[in-house]
Each structure stands twice: as C-alpha cells, then as structure tokens.
Amino acid sequence: MSGMKHFSRRDFMKVTTGAVGGLVTVALGAPIVGYLVDPAAKAGAKDSWINLGPIDKIAIQTPQTFTFSITTVNGWERTGVNFGGFIIRKSEDPNDILILSSRCTHLGCTVSWIEEQGLFICPCHDAAFDLEGQVMHGPPPRPLDRYDEFKLDENGNLLIHYLGA
Amino acid sequence: MWRKLYEWLDERLSLGAMYTNLLDRPEPRGTWWNTLGSASLFLFILQGLTGMFLLVYYTPSPDHAYDSIQYIMNDVAFGWLIRGMHHWGATLMVVVVFIHMLRVFSTASFKYPRELTWVIGALLFLVTLAMGLTGYLLPWNQKSYWATTVATQIAATPPFIGEFILKVMRGGNELSALTLQRFFATHVWLLPLILISLIGAHLYLIIKHGESNYPKADE
C-alpha cells in the first residue's frame, strides 16, 4: 500500500469492519456502564416527618414510649425497619421536651425505662442511662441518640424529623 | 515499541499464522446467505453478554422474579435496552440459525466431508430451541407460566416414561419454585456450556474443511 493511492477493496473491508465493530462496542458499552452503576447513582436516604400523636396526652417527667416503622425499597425488595424511642416532657411547655432513641449506643439492643430505678436499662450488657440519656454505667460509648428536630402541628400533634438510615 | 511487543507475542503465539488461517482463509464465491453462520455466532455472543448483565439484577425465585424484571425494565438505566436485546435477540437467533440450516441444506453443503459439521449444527439448533424454552419461563409472568405448563405437558406424552420426564422437568408434579430454579440453572449454565462446546467443534470443522462451493447444475 503506497499512500492513499491504492486503497484496496481488502483494506476498505478491514477499515469498515473495524469502524462498525468499534461503533457497536461503544453503542453497547456506554449503556452497560450506566446499567451497572445505576443503583449507586440513585442511592440516598429519604427523610420524612413522623407523627407521634397529641402532645397533651403525655405525662410530665415520665418517658412515653413510641415506635414507628419505615419501609425502604431496595430494587425489587421492600424492607420494613422499626424504630422506637421515648418522649420526655420536662414541663408544661409543649416545646420543652426531649426525644430519645431507644437504640442502645453500645450494640443496638433496645433499652427500657425502669420506673423503680429511674433509669433506661439495656438488657444485653446491663447498661444504664439516666432521664437525659447520659450513660450512668455499662459499656456504651456515648449518650442515647436524640431526635433534635421536632415540631408541633396546629392540632397539637408532635412530629419528629426522620433523616434516613 | 508496539512492533517489538507484537513480534515478541507473534514468536510465541503465531498470531500472524492464526490471522491467515482464521480470517484470510480462501472462500468460494458466495452470497449473503453464506453469512448467516457468522450472524448466528454474533447473536450467540450478544445473548451471552446481555444475559450476563441481566443476571446482575434478575433473581430466580417465584417471590421476586417478576418484580426483579419490572425493576430492570422500569428503574434501572438502560435496563429496557439490555432486556430488549436479550428478548428480541433470542427470537432472532432461532430464526437466523434455522435459515442458516436451510441454506446449508439447499446448497447441499452437508455432504462429504462435512457430515459431522451438519450433525453438530443440527444439535446446535436443538440446543438453541432449548435455550428459548428455558428462558421463556424466567420472567415468571402469566404467559411464561402457562407456556411452560403446556410445554412440560407435551413432554409428558411419550408412553411409559412421559410422566417421569414431566416430573424431572418440573422438579415435581406441579410447576413450582423448583421448576423456575432448574430452568434457570439450565438456561445460564448447562445449555451455554453445551452450546460453547458444540460451537467450538462446529467452527473447528468449518476452518478445517473450508466452506463448500455451490453445487453445479449437473452435479
């Protein structure tokens, strides 16, 4: 082959085969990359406001248990995840409240309020938290988690902000 | 630099000789009908690749098979494209393989010394149909469920052993999770391995004997 003068039929076929093959590879390859990384591109937590009911039914200075569940959809599967915690009204002021998660900060067991001791006790490793959620004894590395964002709607219902797992 | 790398590889692998023997081998004068074998091979590779990618999201359980395909079609980026290619490619492959077979028959290309190529080709056609049969159940929708009910019932028609064949195919008396699972395993492992082996033998024989000339009128 001397320059562009003799571009034989055979060379033309080679170049065409290569070009069409390359085009098909790119046309298929690009969507396949998108197809494979798709779940990573869409992953992200969804937040929502959870209604915990009327605030005036909750006694002062007594932890009131609440639970709610969130359904997460992963592909074709739905999973319900349960959450729970305690609402503690410190005074008559409806905004003077503390909302604690009942999930022990040690290894994730559920703590219960034990009235006689005035403590939240975790049954798994005998951890104890006070009314403020501070660690009194046991292995937990930090106080109970709090739901810091809450609000009251016009009917006096308490809502907390769930930020996603 | 590339020249040297190529020479190093060529010395050990005979790349040049491979190219000459595989791609520059002499061919008789043919028509577009002679390209259907290559088209079948291309479709097989396409089915293999798209099938592999479908496996990333598909799950063969009665609880989730249908939902996972809905997910592929509606939620995954380009899922409709991958599934569409596999779906239509399957139909096209059966058609192309069959026309390829008709071409070989009508040009008498199956005669000496190519009888084995023909026999293996006939097996390849049957395995292609089996791929179609097993793949049809996997979406686990009404159509695939009842089509498989009918197909396994047809397989039960031979006397004496029919009932046994039906039970083996279904993995029991009814179409169930076991049926879906065994059709899936057959579709993604057993049949592809058989296909690959047979295609390898088929291609070896084609390269060994070369393509046949069209017969003359007085032959």
Side-chain angles (χ1 to χ4, degrees):
Chain A
M1 195 174 131
S2 57
M4 291 301 290
K5 272 182 185 168
H6 293 288
F7 194 65
S8 65
R9 181 190 170 90
R10 174 163 291 225
D11 288 328
F12 173 76
M13 291 308 289
K14 273 186 196 168
V15 170
T16 309
T17 308
V20 171
L23 203 68
V24 170
T25 308
V26 172
L28 288 183
I32 281 169
V33 172
Y35 176 85
L36 289 177
V37 302
D38 184 73
K42 282 179 187 160
K46 283 185 184 130
D47 69 320
S48 57
W49 285 90
I50 312 290
N51 190 336
L52 299 182
I55 188 81
D56 55 8
K57 295 220 174 129
I58 297 170
I60 311 290
Q61 288 292 342
T62 310
Q64 166 75 44
T65 314
F66 69 88
T67 58
F68 64 94
S69 55
I70 298 283
T71 305
T72 56
V73 181
N74 293 304
W76 54 87
E77 191 204 35
R78 293 171 166 276
T79 309
V81 187
N82 294 314
F83 297 90
F86 304 96
I87 306 161
I88 302 143
R89 290 189 69 180
K90 295 182 171 178
S91 65
E92 289 292 340
D93 176 5
N95 282 309
D96 188 18
I97 57 178
L98 176 66
I99 305 164
L100 296 173
S101 163
S102 61
R103 191 177 186 274
C104 181
T105 52
H106 178 219
L107 291 170
C109 298
T110 303
V111 301
S112 317
W113 174 249
I114 308 297
E115 188 65 56
E116 302 83 65
Q117 303 178 42
L119 292 169
F120 294 106
I121 303 293
C122 179
C124 293
H125 301 96
D126 200 28
F129 304 86
D130 69 5
L131 203 55
E132 292 286 318
Q134 300 298 328
V135 183
M136 299 312 285
H137 59 79
R142 60 172 201 277
L144 289 174
D145 291 329
R146 296 173 176 206
Y147 289 93
D148 286 325
E149 273 189 84
F150 62 88
K151 65 182 180 188
L152 293 161
D153 68 7
E154 63 273 20
N155 300 317
N157 290 316
L158 175 66
L159 286 88
I160 56 169
H161 196 194
Y162 168 78
L163 294 166
Chain B
M1 153 66 181
W2 294 115
R3 183 88 238 150
K4 277 193 141 175
L5 181 65
Y6 173 76
E7 275 163 11
W8 190 90
L9 286 171
D10 188 40
E11 208 179 330
R12 284 152 185 84
L13 297 170
S14 303
L15 292 175
M18 229 189 274
Y19 180 84
T20 314
N21 287 313
L22 295 179
L23 296 174
D24 270 352
R25 60 182 204 276
E27 293 271 339
R29 200 164 187 80
T31 66
W32 280 101
W33 295 106
N34 294 56
T35 62
L36 288 171
S38 300
S40 307
L41 180 63
F42 174 78
L43 283 169
F44 171 71
I45 292 168
L46 196 68
Q47 291 302 95
L49 287 176
T50 52
M52 256 163 43
F53 289 115
L54 285 175
L55 272 180
V56 175
Y57 294 107
Y58 176 75
T59 178
S61 91
D63 290 341
H64 292 308
Y66 182 78
D67 290 338
S68 68
I69 286 186
Q70 291 302 108
Y71 179 69
I72 292 171
M73 292 301 282
N74 299 325
D75 294 322
V76 185
F78 299 109
W80 56 273
L81 181 67
I82 310 284
R83 165 122 194 278
M85 283 198 296
H86 199 75
H87 178 102
W88 293 108
T91 305
L92 196 60
M93 189 168 161
V94 172
V95 172
V96 169
V97 169
F98 184 65
I99 300 176
H100 174 53
M101 195 166 156
L102 282 184
R103 196 281 295 170
V104 171
F105 183 75
S106 63
T107 58
S109 305
F110 55 86
K111 291 185 179 177
Y112 175 84
R114 301 186 180 82
E115 301 97 322
L116 273 179
T117 324
W118 167 261
V119 170
I120 290 170
L123 288 175
L124 276 169
F125 178 62
L126 292 178
V127 180
T128 304
L129 290 182
M131 282 298 267
L133 177 80
T134 50
Y136 206 87
L137 178 67
L138 303 185
W140 202 246
N141 54 29
Q142 285 291 325
K143 199 162 70 162
S144 62
Y145 183 92
W146 293 108
T148 306
T149 303
V150 171
T152 46
Q153 203 69 58
I154 291 169
T157 45
F160 309 117
I161 54 163
E163 196 70 9
F164 180 69
I165 294 173
L166 176 129
K167 282 183 189 168
V168 170
M169 283 181 81
R170 291 186 178 176
N173 285 319
E174 299 99 30
L175 218 67
S176 65
L178 290 178
T179 321
L180 181 59
Q181 192 72 38
R182 61 180 47 220
F183 269 52
F184 173 73
T186 310
H187 188 78
V188 302
W189 267 113
L190 189 61
L191 294 179
L193 285 185
I194 294 173
L195 266 182
I196 289 169
S197 318
L198 291 177
I199 287 171
H202 201 67
L203 291 179
Y204 167 76
L205 288 170
I206 286 161
I207 287 158
K208 177 172 170 58
H209 296 301
E211 294 212 13
S212 67
N213 269 303
Y214 276 28
K216 310 249 166 23
D218 55 353
E219 279 176 333

